[in-house]
Amino acid sequence: MSRTRAVIFDFNGTISDDEPILDRLFREVFAADGIVFDSAYYYDRLAGLSDPEIVERALADHGATADPQRAARLLRAKVDRYKALVAQEPTVHPEVAAFVHAVADRVPIAIASGALHEEVDHVLAIAGLRDRFEAVVCIDDVPHGKPAPDGYLLALERLNAGRQEPVAAADVLVFEDADVGVAAAHAAGMRCVAIANPAYHGERAAAEAVVDALRPDHVDALLG
């Protein structure tokens, strides 16, 4: 197995323990707009996609008109509720923050997220983690969300900027929590560790390892 020279993290459900929050918020904003779905639908059809793609797919799946104004209104409502909620109830657990610090002490780290910068930067600021990441790539930065590899490839490109010895994709370890994210990491030529939760089934692509949580005492075993 290739040695780990860099690590790229997914964000929602990986660094930020917020998949149940996203499930609830998306269901709430869609219900207010007349579209009702349950958690099983969210985890089966939406979890792991970028926020704009979640809105588009949910509208399409329910035979709704996906005009840009409606999609933008739904997304704005979700973002506003999310930012208010995570400010009251921080979603980055101390153990996960310690894991991030421990990894960053060993190799360069980045984020590749399907969320908007507005949300990711907000949570990282609350957690005091922003300065540990050399690059933060969000859906604002790329043309296609996961399972496309765009986010992971751009994160690696930014990690390599100015480096005399660029890191190869095969030497990058990704931490993900959803099937589409694992597929994106593999499409980028990277190895992936999945976090066990309802968004990961190993259906699109099986991760090289599965862990129940990110803990600082696991860093040596996972990075090698």
Side-chain angles (χ1 to χ4, degrees), residues 7-20:
V7 166
I8 304 178
F9 292 87
D10 169 53
F11 183 73
N12 297 119
T14 301
I15 290 175
S16 179
D17 182 17
D18 57 10
E19 280 294 355

Side-chain angles (χ1 to χ4, degrees), residues 77-88:
K78 178 264 178 181
V79 170
D80 289 343
R81 293 187 188 200
Y82 179 89
K83 290 176 66 179
L85 196 152
V86 298
Q88 297 171 355

Side-chain angles (χ1 to χ4, degrees), residues 130-142:
R130 180 59 186 88
D131 291 344
R132 298 311 314 248
F133 295 95
E134 293 190 19
V136 176
V137 172
C138 296
I139 193 60
D140 321 46
D141 302 312
V142 293

